[in-house]
Structures are given as structure tokens and as C-alpha cells.
Amino acid sequence: MNKEIKKAATPHTVSVLKFGGTSVKNQARIQHVAEIVRDRLAEDPGKAEKKAHKILVVVSAMGDTTDYLLKLGAQCAKTPDKRELDSLLSTGEQISITLLAMTLKEMGLKARSFTAAQIGIFTESVHSKARIVDINNDNLNKALAENDILVVAGFQGITADGDITTLGRGGSDTTACALAAATDAVICDIYTDVDGIYTADPNIIKAAKLLNRVSYGEVIEMARLGAQVLHPRAVELARQYKVRMRVRNTFKPDHEGTIIDGGEDMEIYRSISGVAVDKDQACVTIMSVPDIPGIAGQIMQALADNNIVIDMIMQAFHQTAGLNNITFTVHSTDLDQTIKTLESIKGDLSASSVIADKDIAKVSLIGAGLAGQSGIAATVFKAFGGAGINIKMIATSEMKLTCVVSGKDADKAGKLMHSSFGEG
Ligand code: ADP
Ligand code: ASP
Ligand code: MG
């Protein structure tokens, strides 16, 4: 994330509230969200300093609108043009901001909707996963001065050339954190459909436990490894700008939720924070490349040039001396582009073929205390072995242990990993 997001030096106290797709699914839910916003505005946390309280609401598209728009795009083109697709997807959030702003105005509140272009959320010129590089603080300050509630479209941005971009699926969380950083907000509340951050997805692993407080580092790792509850870049931004975040349930507005912060004064660091399962992954192997210096660099550069982020790289010796197979994982949405890129350099590399496995999942254990504990890996591998789950790839780092398994084994492996460590 670019370090250029500057504080807007606003004379107000700002609270940022973000509502996800399920929270604004229909008119009744938008009405419910509007009531939460009205109640939060009345809280007035800046009263002591005589600063007016302003609410900055970020909303996602209603329900499954983004999926629906993606399907519409796919009906018109096998590989839709990324610029046009971003323009199409951004319309989802434009619907929800206007409906919420209308509802708030109907309640007599001073509210106004803003697209990313109207407020000035600038991103790099990369479609489908653009990073925010700057926010127009003059626009933001003017809008805050003229209104009590700003309703801003999540997930979208604008390039310096005026093209619409999107930040990647789940990216409204990142819009919220960026705006919280820019306005030096007292809180960035992410309202969703569960009580907070759990030790695993509570909709899949019933034994998952709610965490009252977690550090940025723990959540970044969980989010990167596929825990859908937060967009990883949102938490990276929150850590960089020291934004205090909270994940809360829209349907239980009085529930405390989970606080995410630096964790500085936490007395006891958890050695294990949770389990994440990511089914949106694919495995790609480039077969029989020469075992000479420079080959891996050439492959990675070609992928980087196409903005493809890869993970879990594995290099294995081929039966024939002097040849290697290089395997790595990519996000499913990058699979077609990855194959296309590798096919285009296959000849130069003298590789024999490129093969892909779409039916995989990453199952990860996350925790600050994993480093150097070989017993943890042994426990996981034995549990998987006992259940007949084959491990295709393994990766470890200071804060994680990841196993690639077949897609059909994903949930079972996640549950086993969770139960192996005392169900959180
Ligand atoms: P929103 O539309 O509000 O952004 P998301 O669907 O993106 O909501 O994220 C919330 C979902 O994240 C939950 O319904 C839950 O199924 C899933 N999830 C995955 N891992 C976790 C976790 N560790 N804690 C809480 N929720 C999780
Ligand atoms: N609407 C977008 C999505 O479905 C962004 C978001 O919800 O955060 O991915
Ligand atoms: Mg989300």
C-alpha cells in the first residue's frame, strides 16, 4: 500500500462504518443499516474536544450483485476486457450508496452519496485488483464540512486518467480503512454477518471460538490465507496507519465484536490464532525446465509483468537429470492468465508442458507461536494421515503452516486442524 495517504486534518471526529453485501441485501436491511448509522452519529465521541461527529459509511453492493454482474460480463465475452469489467462491477456499489443515502435523507439526516471518482479515491492503473495510492483530502474535507454522513462506494477507485478500477473481491473493507486513515478516524467498524473474527469460519467449523481482540499481524495472516472475513489489504493499511478496527455483527449492533489493533499491551500472546481454508486456489506446474540459473527468475518476472501473485513455490527434480518441475499456487481468478503467460514463454524456457490442477484448497494454521515448533506440524500431518487426506504441498513460515489438499478434503482438513489444537 502506498505510503502517500495523507491525513485530511479534518476539524471533525470521524467514525468509519462499513457494511458488507448481506447487510444491505434489500430495502429492509438498508433501513436497518440507516438506523445504526443514525444511532452511531448521535454517540458523539468528540464532544469533550467540542468537535462535531461525522460518519463516513462505506457500503458494498447489495447481496450477490457483484457475482451477478460477473456472470453478465461472462455472457458477453469469454475473457471480458478488464477495463470494461471494472466499470460494470463498480455499478453494484453505486446502487447501494444511492439507496442508503436516500433512506438517510428520508429520515431527516444530512447525508450524501459519493462514488470513488466523486470523492477522489485514486488507484494505480491496474484493473481488477488496483491499490489505492491517494485520496483527495480537499474533496473529503469539503464533503465532511457540508454533510453529517458521507455514504461512499466501496471496492472502486479511479485512475489519474479517469478510468474506473476495482480493488479486488472483498475490497470494500480496504476502501473503509483507507478513508479511516485519511480522516484519522476514531474507529473503523466493519459490520458483517457474524459476531466478529473467530478461530475459523464459524459457518463451516461450528466449534470455532470468537476472538475478542486480535493483532493486525494475526488477522493479516488469516486474511491472506483465505479467511474471507476481511480483505487482507484493509488490515495491512490499518496496521500501517494505526487505524483501530473492529469487526461487528450488523444484526446484533450492541455486540462488542472483535477489536483489531497493535496488540502491544496484550498480556498473553496466543501461540495459535486460528485456521483458514481457501478453496479459491489452483496449482500450476511448468514441466521439465532446464536446471540452470536464471530460469525461476524468468518465470516469476513474466508472471509479475502480468500482475499475477503466486504463492507456495515448489521445485522438484525430474527423473531426467538436469531438468526440474516448478509448481506453485495462484488464486483461481488468475489461473487463465497464468497458463497463458507460461504457454507464451514455454518455448524460450525449453519446458515440455504447463499443467494445472483446479481442484485444490489451502488449509492453514495461523499463529505467532508456530515458529520452530516441529511438534505442531507432526500433529497436523498425523491427523490428516489418519483421516486419509493426502497432502500435496506444504509451506511453513514464522506465523503459518499451510497444506495444499484436494478440494473435496478442504472442509474435513480444516475441521481436523482446528480440533487438533483444542478447538481454539
Ligand atoms: P461481507 O459481505 O460483510 O463483507 P464476507 O462474506 O466478506 O462479508 O465475510 C464474512 C464471512 O466471512 C462470514 O460469513 C464467514 O463465513 C466468513 N469467515 C471466514 N473466516 C472467518 C473467521 N475466521 N471469522 C469470521 N468469519 C469468517
Ligand atoms: N462487492 C464487492 C465483492 O463482492 C466488494 C465487497 O463486497 O467488499 O467482492
Ligand atoms: Mg467482505
Side-chain angles (χ1 to χ4, degrees), residues 210-252:
L210 182 67
L211 301 165
N212 298 321
R213 194 172 161 201
V214 282
S215 66
Y216 297 122
E218 288 174 292
V219 188
I220 288 171
E221 210 58 62
M222 282 172 124
R224 277 188 194 147
L225 292 166
Q228 197 199 334
V229 64
L230 284 175
H231 198 231
R233 285 189 355 245
V235 198
E236 283 164 8
L237 231 154
R239 175 163 71 181
Q240 185 180 340
Y241 292 94
K242 298 194 170 55
V243 172
R244 194 160 170 269
M245 283 179 90
R246 213 159 33 167
V247 177
R248 315 182 68 176
N249 194 332
T250 308
F251 310 102
K252 296 186 201 167

mmCIF file of all heavy atoms in Angstrom, residues 210-252:
data_model
loop_
_atom_site.group_PDB
_atom_site.id
_atom_site.type_symbol
_atom_site.label_atom_id
_atom_site.label_comp_id
_atom_site.label_asym_id
_atom_site.label_seq_id
_atom_site.Cartn_x
_atom_site.Cartn_y
_atom_site.Cartn_z
ATOM 1 N N LEU A 210 -15.095 -17.206 19.129
ATOM 2 C CA LEU A 210 -14.968 -15.778 18.827
ATOM 3 C C LEU A 210 -13.736 -15.227 19.549
ATOM 4 O O LEU A 210 -13.515 -15.530 20.721
ATOM 5 C CB LEU A 210 -16.230 -15.045 19.285
ATOM 6 C CG LEU A 210 -16.268 -13.554 19.001
ATOM 7 C CD1 LEU A 210 -16.349 -13.267 17.497
ATOM 8 C CD2 LEU A 210 -17.445 -12.888 19.699
ATOM 9 N N LEU A 211 -12.946 -14.411 18.851
ATOM 10 C CA LEU A 211 -11.776 -13.774 19.468
ATOM 11 C C LEU A 211 -12.165 -12.341 19.832
ATOM 12 O O LEU A 211 -12.684 -11.611 18.994
ATOM 13 C CB LEU A 211 -10.603 -13.780 18.479
ATOM 14 C CG LEU A 211 -10.151 -15.168 18.001
ATOM 15 C CD1 LEU A 211 -9.256 -15.068 16.779
ATOM 16 C CD2 LEU A 211 -9.429 -15.903 19.122
ATOM 17 N N ASN A 212 -11.949 -11.951 21.076
ATOM 18 C CA ASN A 212 -12.334 -10.596 21.487
ATOM 19 C C ASN A 212 -11.378 -9.549 20.939
ATOM 20 O O ASN A 212 -11.759 -8.431 20.627
ATOM 21 C CB ASN A 212 -12.346 -10.476 23.015
ATOM 22 C CG ASN A 212 -13.358 -11.411 23.607
ATOM 23 O OD1 ASN A 212 -14.430 -11.577 23.048
ATOM 24 N ND2 ASN A 212 -13.014 -12.059 24.707
ATOM 25 N N ARG A 213 -10.122 -9.956 20.856
ATOM 26 C CA ARG A 213 -9.121 -8.997 20.412
ATOM 27 C C ARG A 213 -8.005 -9.733 19.665
ATOM 28 O O ARG A 213 -7.554 -10.788 20.122
ATOM 29 C CB ARG A 213 -8.533 -8.311 21.652
ATOM 30 C CG ARG A 213 -7.758 -7.093 21.295
ATOM 31 C CD ARG A 213 -7.353 -6.343 22.537
ATOM 32 N NE ARG A 213 -6.263 -5.477 22.202
ATOM 33 C CZ ARG A 213 -5.417 -4.991 23.084
ATOM 34 N NH1 ARG A 213 -5.548 -5.295 24.368
ATOM 35 N NH2 ARG A 213 -4.458 -4.201 22.695
ATOM 36 N N VAL A 214 -7.609 -9.208 18.543
ATOM 37 C CA VAL A 214 -6.518 -9.813 17.774
ATOM 38 C C VAL A 214 -5.585 -8.725 17.270
ATOM 39 O O VAL A 214 -5.987 -7.562 17.142
ATOM 40 C CB VAL A 214 -7.022 -10.626 16.552
ATOM 41 C CG1 VAL A 214 -7.558 -11.977 16.931
ATOM 42 C CG2 VAL A 214 -8.057 -9.873 15.750
ATOM 43 N N SER A 215 -4.353 -9.123 16.988
ATOM 44 C CA SER A 215 -3.391 -8.131 16.500
ATOM 45 C C SER A 215 -3.488 -8.045 14.971
ATOM 46 O O SER A 215 -3.963 -8.967 14.306
ATOM 47 C CB SER A 215 -1.980 -8.529 16.900
ATOM 48 O OG SER A 215 -1.616 -9.709 16.227
ATOM 49 N N TYR A 216 -3.024 -6.914 14.422
ATOM 50 C CA TYR A 216 -3.022 -6.744 12.974
ATOM 51 C C TYR A 216 -2.326 -7.942 12.310
ATOM 52 O O TYR A 216 -2.812 -8.485 11.327
ATOM 53 C CB TYR A 216 -2.268 -5.472 12.562
ATOM 54 C CG TYR A 216 -2.864 -4.176 13.061
ATOM 55 C CD1 TYR A 216 -2.115 -3.297 13.840
ATOM 56 C CD2 TYR A 216 -4.155 -3.800 12.716
ATOM 57 C CE1 TYR A 216 -2.637 -2.086 14.268
ATOM 58 C CE2 TYR A 216 -4.694 -2.595 13.149
ATOM 59 C CZ TYR A 216 -3.929 -1.735 13.925
ATOM 60 O OH TYR A 216 -4.448 -0.542 14.348
ATOM 61 N N GLY A 217 -1.180 -8.316 12.865
ATOM 62 C CA GLY A 217 -0.374 -9.382 12.253
ATOM 63 C C GLY A 217 -1.140 -10.696 12.138
ATOM 64 O O GLY A 217 -1.113 -11.359 11.098
ATOM 65 N N GLU A 218 -1.852 -11.047 13.202
ATOM 66 C CA GLU A 218 -2.616 -12.294 13.171
ATOM 67 C C GLU A 218 -3.689 -12.243 12.084
ATOM 68 O O GLU A 218 -3.880 -13.204 11.336
ATOM 69 C CB GLU A 218 -3.304 -12.520 14.530
ATOM 70 C CG GLU A 218 -2.377 -12.915 15.663
ATOM 71 C CD GLU A 218 -3.132 -12.962 16.996
ATOM 72 O OE1 GLU A 218 -3.545 -11.892 17.491
ATOM 73 O OE2 GLU A 218 -3.319 -14.060 17.533
ATOM 74 N N VAL A 219 -4.412 -11.116 12.016
ATOM 75 C CA VAL A 219 -5.519 -11.026 11.057
ATOM 76 C C VAL A 219 -5.003 -10.933 9.624
ATOM 77 O O VAL A 219 -5.608 -11.484 8.703
ATOM 78 C CB VAL A 219 -6.441 -9.815 11.361
ATOM 79 C CG1 VAL A 219 -7.670 -9.856 10.479
ATOM 80 C CG2 VAL A 219 -6.869 -9.838 12.799
ATOM 81 N N ILE A 220 -3.883 -10.242 9.431
ATOM 82 C CA ILE A 220 -3.326 -10.146 8.073
ATOM 83 C C ILE A 220 -3.038 -11.558 7.566
ATOM 84 O O ILE A 220 -3.405 -11.940 6.457
ATOM 85 C CB ILE A 220 -2.046 -9.272 8.047
ATOM 86 C CG1 ILE A 220 -2.426 -7.809 8.243
ATOM 87 C CG2 ILE A 220 -1.257 -9.467 6.759
ATOM 88 C CD1 ILE A 220 -1.259 -6.860 8.450
ATOM 89 N N GLU A 221 -2.413 -12.359 8.428
ATOM 90 C CA GLU A 221 -2.067 -13.725 8.034
ATOM 91 C C GLU A 221 -3.330 -14.536 7.743
ATOM 92 O O GLU A 221 -3.428 -15.217 6.731
ATOM 93 C CB GLU A 221 -1.229 -14.360 9.155
ATOM 94 C CG GLU A 221 -0.223 -15.385 8.715
ATOM 95 C CD GLU A 221 0.813 -14.877 7.713
ATOM 96 O OE1 GLU A 221 1.595 -13.960 8.053
ATOM 97 O OE2 GLU A 221 0.840 -15.409 6.602
ATOM 98 N N MET A 222 -4.331 -14.412 8.636
ATOM 99 C CA MET A 222 -5.593 -15.147 8.428
ATOM 100 C C MET A 222 -6.245 -14.729 7.110
ATOM 101 O O MET A 222 -6.703 -15.569 6.335
ATOM 102 C CB MET A 222 -6.585 -14.851 9.566
ATOM 103 C CG MET A 222 -6.307 -15.593 10.850
ATOM 104 S SD MET A 222 -7.419 -14.955 12.125
ATOM 105 C CE MET A 222 -8.225 -16.404 12.638
ATOM 106 N N ALA A 223 -6.311 -13.418 6.871
ATOM 107 C CA ALA A 223 -6.981 -12.908 5.669
ATOM 108 C C ALA A 223 -6.218 -13.316 4.410
ATOM 109 O O ALA A 223 -6.816 -13.741 3.420
ATOM 110 C CB ALA A 223 -7.115 -11.395 5.756
ATOM 111 N N ARG A 224 -4.882 -13.221 4.457
ATOM 112 C CA ARG A 224 -4.098 -13.612 3.281
ATOM 113 C C ARG A 224 -4.289 -15.086 2.956
ATOM 114 O O ARG A 224 -4.209 -15.508 1.824
ATOM 115 C CB ARG A 224 -2.603 -13.370 3.544
ATOM 116 C CG ARG A 224 -2.166 -11.957 3.308
ATOM 117 C CD ARG A 224 -0.661 -11.907 3.398
ATOM 118 N NE ARG A 224 -0.168 -10.552 3.508
ATOM 119 C CZ ARG A 224 0.910 -10.212 4.197
ATOM 120 N NH1 ARG A 224 1.603 -11.129 4.843
ATOM 121 N NH2 ARG A 224 1.304 -8.965 4.233
ATOM 122 N N LEU A 225 -4.492 -15.872 3.997
ATOM 123 C CA LEU A 225 -4.620 -17.322 3.795
ATOM 124 C C LEU A 225 -6.060 -17.740 3.533
ATOM 125 O O LEU A 225 -6.386 -18.919 3.589
ATOM 126 C CB LEU A 225 -4.019 -18.075 4.988
ATOM 127 C CG LEU A 225 -2.498 -17.923 5.070
ATOM 128 C CD1 LEU A 225 -1.959 -18.369 6.401
ATOM 129 C CD2 LEU A 225 -1.822 -18.696 3.941
ATOM 130 N N GLY A 226 -6.939 -16.767 3.295
ATOM 131 C CA GLY A 226 -8.261 -17.112 2.785
ATOM 132 C C GLY A 226 -9.421 -16.934 3.745
ATOM 133 O O GLY A 226 -10.550 -17.236 3.378
ATOM 134 N N ALA A 227 -9.188 -16.469 4.985
ATOM 135 C CA ALA A 227 -10.325 -16.207 5.885
ATOM 136 C C ALA A 227 -11.053 -15.003 5.309
ATOM 137 O O ALA A 227 -10.568 -13.883 5.360
ATOM 138 C CB ALA A 227 -9.848 -15.924 7.299
ATOM 139 N N GLN A 228 -12.219 -15.238 4.757
ATOM 140 C CA GLN A 228 -12.913 -14.243 3.925
ATOM 141 C C GLN A 228 -13.369 -13.020 4.727
ATOM 142 O O GLN A 228 -13.734 -11.996 4.156
ATOM 143 C CB GLN A 228 -14.132 -14.952 3.356
ATOM 144 C CG GLN A 228 -14.782 -14.294 2.183
ATOM 145 C CD GLN A 228 -16.206 -14.821 2.014
ATOM 146 O OE1 GLN A 228 -16.512 -15.940 2.428
ATOM 147 N NE2 GLN A 228 -17.057 -14.019 1.433
ATOM 148 N N VAL A 229 -13.362 -13.112 6.048
ATOM 149 C CA VAL A 229 -13.986 -12.079 6.873
ATOM 150 C C VAL A 229 -13.431 -10.673 6.621
ATOM 151 O O VAL A 229 -14.159 -9.696 6.719
ATOM 152 C CB VAL A 229 -13.974 -12.485 8.372
ATOM 153 C CG1 VAL A 229 -12.563 -12.603 8.890
ATOM 154 C CG2 VAL A 229 -14.788 -11.550 9.226
ATOM 155 N N LEU A 230 -12.165 -10.551 6.258
ATOM 156 C CA LEU A 230 -11.595 -9.232 5.956
ATOM 157 C C LEU A 230 -10.689 -9.312 4.739
ATOM 158 O O LEU A 230 -10.041 -10.339 4.495
ATOM 159 C CB LEU A 230 -10.772 -8.714 7.143
ATOM 160 C CG LEU A 230 -11.546 -8.183 8.343
ATOM 161 C CD1 LEU A 230 -10.574 -7.835 9.459
ATOM 162 C CD2 LEU A 230 -12.385 -6.968 7.981
ATOM 163 N N HIS A 231 -10.647 -8.205 4.000
ATOM 164 C CA HIS A 231 -9.745 -8.109 2.855
ATOM 165 C C HIS A 231 -8.335 -7.888 3.405
ATOM 166 O O HIS A 231 -8.138 -6.971 4.210
ATOM 167 C CB HIS A 231 -10.201 -6.905 2.006
ATOM 168 C CG HIS A 231 -9.671 -6.908 0.625
ATOM 169 N ND1 HIS A 231 -9.048 -5.825 0.072
ATOM 170 C CD2 HIS A 231 -9.674 -7.865 -0.323
ATOM 171 C CE1 HIS A 231 -8.693 -6.114 -1.165
ATOM 172 N NE2 HIS A 231 -9.066 -7.344 -1.426
ATOM 173 N N PRO A 232 -7.345 -8.707 3.019
ATOM 174 C CA PRO A 232 -6.018 -8.576 3.639
ATOM 175 C C PRO A 232 -5.433 -7.169 3.556
ATOM 176 O O PRO A 232 -4.843 -6.670 4.506
ATOM 177 C CB PRO A 232 -5.146 -9.586 2.887
ATOM 178 C CG PRO A 232 -5.996 -10.225 1.863
ATOM 179 C CD PRO A 232 -7.423 -9.809 2.060
ATOM 180 N N ARG A 233 -5.645 -6.497 2.418
ATOM 181 C CA ARG A 233 -5.032 -5.165 2.269
ATOM 182 C C ARG A 233 -5.650 -4.153 3.202
ATOM 183 O O ARG A 233 -5.014 -3.158 3.562
ATOM 184 C CB ARG A 233 -5.091 -4.725 0.807
ATOM 185 C CG ARG A 233 -4.043 -5.485 0.020
ATOM 186 C CD ARG A 233 -3.797 -5.042 -1.384
ATOM 187 N NE ARG A 233 -4.629 -4.014 -1.899
ATOM 188 C CZ ARG A 233 -5.487 -4.171 -2.918
ATOM 189 N NH1 ARG A 233 -5.631 -5.347 -3.487
ATOM 190 N NH2 ARG A 233 -6.173 -3.157 -3.360
ATOM 191 N N ALA A 234 -6.905 -4.406 3.616
ATOM 192 C CA ALA A 234 -7.546 -3.492 4.579
ATOM 193 C C ALA A 234 -6.768 -3.514 5.893
ATOM 194 O O ALA A 234 -6.478 -2.470 6.486
ATOM 195 C CB ALA A 234 -8.991 -3.935 4.818
ATOM 196 N N VAL A 235 -6.390 -4.701 6.329
ATOM 197 C CA VAL A 235 -5.705 -4.817 7.616
ATOM 198 C C VAL A 235 -4.254 -4.345 7.503
ATOM 199 O O VAL A 235 -3.712 -3.744 8.431
ATOM 200 C CB VAL A 235 -5.790 -6.263 8.171
ATOM 201 C CG1 VAL A 235 -5.486 -6.280 9.651
ATOM 202 C CG2 VAL A 235 -7.145 -6.885 7.911
ATOM 203 N N GLU A 236 -3.656 -4.572 6.328
ATOM 204 C CA GLU A 236 -2.285 -4.068 6.111
ATOM 205 C C GLU A 236 -2.278 -2.541 6.232
ATOM 206 O O GLU A 236 -1.402 -1.954 6.874
ATOM 207 C CB GLU A 236 -1.785 -4.492 4.721
ATOM 208 C CG GLU A 236 -1.365 -5.955 4.672
ATOM 209 C CD GLU A 236 -1.247 -6.499 3.248
ATOM 210 O OE1 GLU A 236 -1.335 -5.722 2.290
ATOM 211 O OE2 GLU A 236 -1.080 -7.719 3.116
ATOM 212 N N LEU A 237 -3.291 -1.934 5.615
ATOM 213 C CA LEU A 237 -3.418 -0.477 5.681
ATOM 214 C C LEU A 237 -3.670 -0.002 7.114
ATOM 215 O O LEU A 237 -3.084 0.985 7.572
ATOM 216 C CB LEU A 237 -4.622 -0.103 4.827
ATOM 217 C CG LEU A 237 -4.422 0.963 3.791
ATOM 218 C CD1 LEU A 237 -5.401 0.780 2.672
ATOM 219 C CD2 LEU A 237 -4.596 2.303 4.410
ATOM 220 N N ALA A 238 -4.539 -0.733 7.804
ATOM 221 C CA ALA A 238 -4.871 -0.364 9.187
ATOM 222 C C ALA A 238 -3.605 -0.426 10.047
ATOM 223 O O ALA A 238 -3.368 0.451 10.882
ATOM 224 C CB ALA A 238 -5.940 -1.295 9.734
ATOM 225 N N ARG A 239 -2.774 -1.435 9.831
ATOM 226 C CA ARG A 239 -1.527 -1.531 10.615
ATOM 227 C C ARG A 239 -0.599 -0.365 10.269
ATOM 228 O O ARG A 239 -0.038 0.276 11.158
ATOM 229 C CB ARG A 239 -0.826 -2.868 10.343
ATOM 230 C CG ARG A 239 0.533 -2.944 11.037
ATOM 231 C CD ARG A 239 1.059 -4.330 11.142
ATOM 232 N NE ARG A 239 1.467 -4.856 9.851
ATOM 233 C CZ ARG A 239 1.954 -6.065 9.663
ATOM 234 N NH1 ARG A 239 2.082 -6.891 10.679
ATOM 235 N NH2 ARG A 239 2.307 -6.470 8.484
ATOM 236 N N GLN A 240 -0.470 -0.089 8.975
ATOM 237 C CA GLN A 240 0.444 0.978 8.549
ATOM 238 C C GLN A 240 0.037 2.334 9.117
ATOM 239 O O GLN A 240 0.878 3.116 9.540
ATOM 240 C CB GLN A 240 0.468 1.021 7.020
ATOM 241 C CG GLN A 240 1.472 2.000 6.463
ATOM 242 C CD GLN A 240 1.445 1.982 4.940
ATOM 243 O OE1 GLN A 240 0.975 1.035 4.319
ATOM 244 N NE2 GLN A 240 1.935 3.046 4.346
ATOM 245 N N TYR A 241 -1.270 2.613 9.141
ATOM 246 C CA TYR A 241 -1.742 3.926 9.595
ATOM 247 C C TYR A 241 -2.307 3.905 11.007
ATOM 248 O O TYR A 241 -2.927 4.874 11.428
ATOM 249 C CB TYR A 241 -2.788 4.467 8.609
ATOM 250 C CG TYR A 241 -2.172 4.808 7.271
ATOM 251 C CD1 TYR A 241 -2.174 3.876 6.248
ATOM 252 C CD2 TYR A 241 -1.546 6.029 7.055
ATOM 253 C CE1 TYR A 241 -1.580 4.163 5.022
ATOM 254 C CE2 TYR A 241 -0.961 6.328 5.834
ATOM 255 C CZ TYR A 241 -0.983 5.390 4.826
ATOM 256 O OH TYR A 241 -0.395 5.675 3.623
ATOM 257 N N LYS A 242 -2.108 2.782 11.704
ATOM 258 C CA LYS A 242 -2.590 2.635 13.087
ATOM 259 C C LYS A 242 -4.092 2.928 13.210
ATOM 260 O O LYS A 242 -4.532 3.650 14.112
ATOM 261 C CB LYS A 242 -1.793 3.517 14.048
ATOM 262 C CG LYS A 242 -0.319 3.152 14.110
ATOM 263 C CD LYS A 242 0.369 3.797 15.286
ATOM 264 C CE LYS A 242 1.765 3.277 15.506
ATOM 265 N NZ LYS A 242 2.648 3.376 14.334
ATOM 266 N N VAL A 243 -4.858 2.396 12.284
ATOM 267 C CA VAL A 243 -6.315 2.549 12.339
ATOM 268 C C VAL A 243 -6.861 1.477 13.279
ATOM 269 O O VAL A 243 -6.548 0.297 13.126
ATOM 270 C CB VAL A 243 -6.943 2.351 10.929
ATOM 271 C CG1 VAL A 243 -8.462 2.318 11.010
ATOM 272 C CG2 VAL A 243 -6.466 3.432 9.977
ATOM 273 N N ARG A 244 -7.650 1.899 14.242
ATOM 274 C CA ARG A 244 -8.256 0.940 15.153
ATOM 275 C C ARG A 244 -9.474 0.328 14.454
ATOM 276 O O ARG A 244 -10.384 1.040 14.034
ATOM 277 C CB ARG A 244 -8.669 1.680 16.426
ATOM 278 C CG ARG A 244 -8.997 0.795 17.562
ATOM 279 C CD ARG A 244 -8.910 1.606 18.866
ATOM 280 N NE ARG A 244 -9.446 0.825 19.955
ATOM 281 C CZ ARG A 244 -10.721 0.857 20.319
ATOM 282 N NH1 ARG A 244 -11.575 1.638 19.702
ATOM 283 N NH2 ARG A 244 -11.137 0.106 21.314
ATOM 284 N N MET A 245 -9.467 -0.986 14.299
ATOM 285 C CA MET A 245 -10.562 -1.650 13.579
ATOM 286 C C MET A 245 -11.390 -2.504 14.513
ATOM 287 O O MET A 245 -10.884 -3.003 15.520
ATOM 288 C CB MET A 245 -9.991 -2.603 12.519
ATOM 289 C CG MET A 245 -9.476 -1.967 11.284
ATOM 290 S SD MET A 245 -8.830 -3.247 10.195
ATOM 291 C CE MET A 245 -10.291 -3.646 9.233
ATOM 292 N N ARG A 246 -12.645 -2.717 14.133
ATOM 293 C CA ARG A 246 -13.496 -3.616 14.895
ATOM 294 C C ARG A 246 -14.355 -4.366 13.889
ATOM 295 O O ARG A 246 -14.813 -3.777 12.912
ATOM 296 C CB ARG A 246 -14.384 -2.758 15.808
ATOM 297 C CG ARG A 246 -14.730 -3.375 17.117
ATOM 298 C CD ARG A 246 -15.150 -2.363 18.153
ATOM 299 N NE ARG A 246 -15.864 -1.213 17.614
ATOM 300 C CZ ARG A 246 -16.537 -0.350 18.365
ATOM 301 N NH1 ARG A 246 -16.589 -0.518 19.670
ATOM 302 N NH2 ARG A 246 -17.150 0.685 17.845
ATOM 303 N N VAL A 247 -14.561 -5.655 14.092
ATOM 304 C CA VAL A 247 -15.477 -6.416 13.240
ATOM 305 C C VAL A 247 -16.710 -6.705 14.070
ATOM 306 O O VAL A 247 -16.600 -7.206 15.199
ATOM 307 C CB VAL A 247 -14.829 -7.736 12.740
ATOM 308 C CG1 VAL A 247 -15.821 -8.542 11.916
ATOM 309 C CG2 VAL A 247 -13.589 -7.432 11.923
ATOM 310 N N ARG A 248 -17.886 -6.349 13.563
ATOM 311 C CA ARG A 248 -19.113 -6.447 14.350
ATOM 312 C C ARG A 248 -20.245 -7.039 13.521
ATOM 313 O O ARG A 248 -20.196 -7.050 12.299
ATOM 314 C CB ARG A 248 -19.537 -5.045 14.818
ATOM 315 C CG ARG A 248 -18.409 -4.220 15.352
ATOM 316 C CD ARG A 248 -18.886 -2.899 15.834
ATOM 317 N NE ARG A 248 -19.707 -3.055 17.027
ATOM 318 C CZ ARG A 248 -20.206 -2.036 17.710
ATOM 319 N NH1 ARG A 248 -19.979 -0.813 17.308
ATOM 320 N NH2 ARG A 248 -20.930 -2.231 18.786
ATOM 321 N N ASN A 249 -21.305 -7.458 14.232
ATOM 322 C CA ASN A 249 -22.446 -8.061 13.570
ATOM 323 C C ASN A 249 -23.538 -7.007 13.336
ATOM 324 O O ASN A 249 -24.037 -6.410 14.289
ATOM 325 C CB ASN A 249 -22.988 -9.202 14.440
ATOM 326 C CG ASN A 249 -23.950 -10.083 13.691
ATOM 327 O OD1 ASN A 249 -24.615 -9.637 12.769
ATOM 328 N ND2 ASN A 249 -24.022 -11.339 14.099
ATOM 329 N N THR A 250 -23.905 -6.790 12.060
ATOM 330 C CA THR A 250 -24.948 -5.806 11.716
ATOM 331 C C THR A 250 -26.264 -6.146 12.421
ATOM 332 O O THR A 250 -27.057 -5.269 12.723
ATOM 333 C CB THR A 250 -25.200 -5.827 10.187
ATOM 334 O OG1 THR A 250 -23.949 -5.688 9.539
ATOM 335 C CG2 THR A 250 -26.119 -4.705 9.740
ATOM 336 N N PHE A 251 -26.461 -7.446 12.634
ATOM 337 C CA PHE A 251 -27.746 -7.881 13.178
ATOM 338 C C PHE A 251 -27.748 -7.924 14.703
ATOM 339 O O PHE A 251 -28.747 -8.247 15.319
ATOM 340 C CB PHE A 251 -28.134 -9.227 12.533
ATOM 341 C CG PHE A 251 -28.006 -9.130 11.034
ATOM 342 C CD1 PHE A 251 -26.904 -9.672 10.376
ATOM 343 C CD2 PHE A 251 -28.923 -8.394 10.301
ATOM 344 C CE1 PHE A 251 -26.749 -9.521 9.005
ATOM 345 C CE2 PHE A 251 -28.782 -8.234 8.924
ATOM 346 C CZ PHE A 251 -27.687 -8.794 8.275
ATOM 347 N N LYS A 252 -26.596 -7.623 15.330
ATOM 348 C CA LYS A 252 -26.522 -7.511 16.788
ATOM 349 C C LYS A 252 -25.706 -6.256 17.088
ATOM 350 O O LYS A 252 -24.553 -6.333 17.530
ATOM 351 C CB LYS A 252 -25.780 -8.729 17.388
ATOM 352 C CG LYS A 252 -26.469 -10.057 17.184
ATOM 353 C CD LYS A 252 -25.670 -11.109 17.984
ATOM 354 C CE LYS A 252 -25.919 -12.496 17.478
ATOM 355 N NZ LYS A 252 -24.944 -13.455 18.034
#
